[in-house]
């Protein structure tokens, strides 16, 4: 027992020495991320801890969902809408289809155009399962029309300091647009990874309740008896291969056309990091990249225990 205690102390001392001696150049070379763009920031200070193509403007259609959530939360707080409001999925205009086209991702649900659904359930359908139908219905109801809501989204982007290259289009993930040519900007919603991180940080500061909402493992559309699972496989409650300790929002998105993206945040020992991955080739790669970046962040600036654990995962 005595020898075992000596060995444990020796191992801890060795780890401590390694952490102190690791040159910053070694950490600066890690991790390798396979995506169009990525950035990791400290949520408290906004400091960029790591980036790759952070200023590159890329297609980011699903990121419009985060801004939609923000504007709905603003509207509820301001008394312009109420959580119990009944929202017609198809809006006020006549809709030819019997139902709206479901999202192509795992979070897709099929809602009828004439469905009347409480605003809070639509919001949770968006926050938890990335429902495109919910996003469109919320945009029309909150803004009066998708066009008016698009103006609200882009005005908010300017006010919080996102760059002029940012463009939001509500419900963009369900619309087919011509692909951008080489050297041109994407035609749909677009932004840089840095701007996406600005959005995430500002949203959390303004509406911290969004973390609780976006980390719910499942939610229900009660009128339809539909249960939707959270598509964020990094939530520790799922205990899957991509689960990350401390992950508590914001959301994970997937698009075969534009690539897979993650906008996530984790908190350990009171230290919150925000990671953004844009345009990964697969959902698995987006999860892996986000986890590696978070490990890198905690290896650099976490508590001693977090630095030790995260560094060992990186080497």
């Amino acid at each position: 027992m005595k020898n075992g205690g000596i060995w444990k102390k020796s191992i801890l001392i060795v780890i401590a020495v390694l952490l102190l001696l690791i040159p910053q150049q070694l950490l600066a070379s890690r991790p390798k991320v396979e995506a169009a763009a990525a950035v990791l920031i400290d949520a408290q200070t906004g400091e960029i801890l790591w980036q790759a193509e952070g200023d590159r403007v890329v297609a980011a259609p699903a990121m419009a969902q985060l801004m939609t959530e923000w504007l709905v939360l603003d509207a509820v707080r301001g008394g312009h809408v109420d959580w119990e409001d009944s929202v017609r999925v198809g809006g006020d205009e006549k809709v030819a289809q019997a139902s709206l086209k479901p999202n192509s991702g795992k979070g897709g649900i099929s809602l009828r155009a004439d469905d009347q659904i409480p605003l809070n359930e639509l919001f949770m359908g968006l926050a938890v399962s990335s429902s495109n139908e919910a996003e469109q219905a919320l945009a029309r109801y909150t803004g009066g029309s998708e066009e008016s809501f698009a103006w609200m989204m882009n005005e908010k982007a300017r006010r919080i300091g996102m760059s002029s290259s940012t463009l939001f289009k509500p419900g963009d993930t369900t619309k087919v647009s011509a692909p951008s040519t080489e050297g041109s900007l994407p035609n749909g919603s677009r932004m840089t990874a840095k701007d996406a991180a600005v959005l995430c940080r500002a949203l959390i500061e303004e509406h911290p309740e969004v973390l609780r909402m976006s980390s719910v493992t499942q939610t229900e559309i009660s009128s339809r008896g539909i249960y939707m699972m959270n598509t964020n496989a990094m939530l520790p409650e799922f205990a899957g291969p991509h689960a990350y300790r401390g992950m508590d929002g914001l959301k994970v998105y997937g698009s075969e056309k534009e690539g897979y993206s993650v906008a996530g945040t984790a908190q350990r020992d009171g230290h919150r990091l925000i990671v953004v991955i844009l345009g990964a080739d697969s959902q698995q790669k987006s999860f892996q990249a986000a986890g590696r970046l978070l490990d890198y962040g905690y290896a650099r600036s976490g508590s001693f225990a977090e630095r030790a654990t995260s560094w060992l995962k990186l080497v």
Side-chain angles (χ1 to χ4, degrees):
M1 181 66 70
K2 184 176 180 180
N3 289 336
I6 293 175
W7 273 107
K8 288 181 181 179
K9 289 181 180 179
S10 299
I11 292 173
L12 289 175
I13 291 172
V14 170
I15 292 175
V17 171
L18 287 173
L19 288 172
L20 291 173
L21 294 180
I22 294 171
Q24 287 300 307
Q25 292 84 350
L26 177 60
L27 282 178
S29 66
R30 299 177 181 274
K32 302 300 182 184
V33 173
E34 298 180 42
V39 68
L40 174 75
I41 69 169
D42 185 296
Q44 182 176 358
T45 65
E47 177 189 2
I48 296 175
L49 304 178
W50 190 95
Q51 63 170 312
E53 300 288 346
D55 292 312
R56 177 185 176 187
V57 181
V58 299
M63 286 293 172
Q65 297 181 357
L66 285 181
M67 185 61 84
T68 298
E69 292 173 22
W70 191 340
L71 292 178
V72 172
L73 289 169
D74 278 353
V76 172
R77 178 180 292 178
H80 304 297
V81 299
D82 188 87
W83 286 125
E84 300 304 318
D85 288 352
S86 182
V87 180
R88 184 174 184 270
V89 172
D92 294 330
E93 68 278 8
K94 293 181 179 180
V95 181
Q97 306 101 308
S99 64
L100 300 179
K101 183 180 179 180
N103 186 344
S104 59
K106 291 183 179 179
I109 56 174
S110 181
L111 299 178
R112 293 188 294 265
D114 59 350
D115 277 344
Q116 299 274 354
I117 297 176
L119 185 140
N120 68 307
E121 292 188 5
L122 281 176
F123 183 92
M124 292 302 293
L126 174 60
V128 171
S129 195
S130 299
S131 165
N132 290 325
E133 299 95 332
E135 180 185 6
Q136 293 172 327
L138 290 168
R140 284 190 292 264
Y141 187 77
T142 305
S145 68
E146 288 192 38
E147 291 74 18
S148 175
F149 195 76
W151 180 89
M152 293 167 61
M153 298 171 88
N154 289 293
E155 180 63 19
K156 171 72 80 172
R158 305 294 173 260
R159 291 205 302 269
I160 65 174
M162 298 179 76
S163 69
S164 59
S165 59
T166 299
L167 177 67
F168 282 106
K169 292 185 177 181
D172 192 36
T173 52
T174 62
K175 298 174 182 178
V176 178
S177 58
S180 57
T181 58
E182 186 175 355
S184 67
L185 293 176
N187 293 306
S189 294
R190 61 178 184 252
M191 68 189 67
T192 68
K194 285 184 180 179
D195 283 328
V198 168
L199 168 61
C200 293
R201 181 175 181 239
L203 173 56
I204 292 171
E205 289 181 347
E206 183 70 20
H207 293 287
E209 68 271 22
V210 75
L211 295 180
R212 172 179 53 80
M213 293 172 161
S214 62
S215 61
V216 171
T217 56
Q218 74 171 11
T219 188
E220 179 187 13
I221 302 293
S222 57
S223 63
R224 296 289 305 280
I226 298 173
Y227 286 88
M228 295 171 287
M229 294 297 297
N230 199 314
T231 54
N232 188 348
M234 297 187 74
L235 291 175
E237 289 81 1
F238 289 134
H242 303 297
Y244 193 88
R245 184 168 61 85
M247 174 67 67
D248 56 3
L250 303 160
K251 198 63 185 60
V252 176
Y253 307 98
S255 168
E256 292 182 2
K257 179 182 177 183
E258 306 291 357
Y260 291 86
S261 302
V262 173
T265 181
Q267 180 169 264
R268 292 181 176 181
D269 295 335
H271 186 198
R272 181 173 294 282
L273 300 178
I274 295 172
V275 60
V276 172
I277 307 295
L278 298 180
D281 290 339
S282 69
Q283 203 169 44
Q284 182 178 11
K285 286 183 178 180
S286 70
F287 293 142
Q288 291 173 341
R292 294 280 290 177
L293 276 182
L294 289 170
D295 282 337
Y296 169 82
Y298 286 118
R300 278 190 51 174
S301 56
S303 65
F304 174 80
E306 289 298 339
R307 289 175 64 191
T309 302
S310 299
W311 180 78
L312 288 173
K313 290 174 68 176
L314 285 170
V315 296

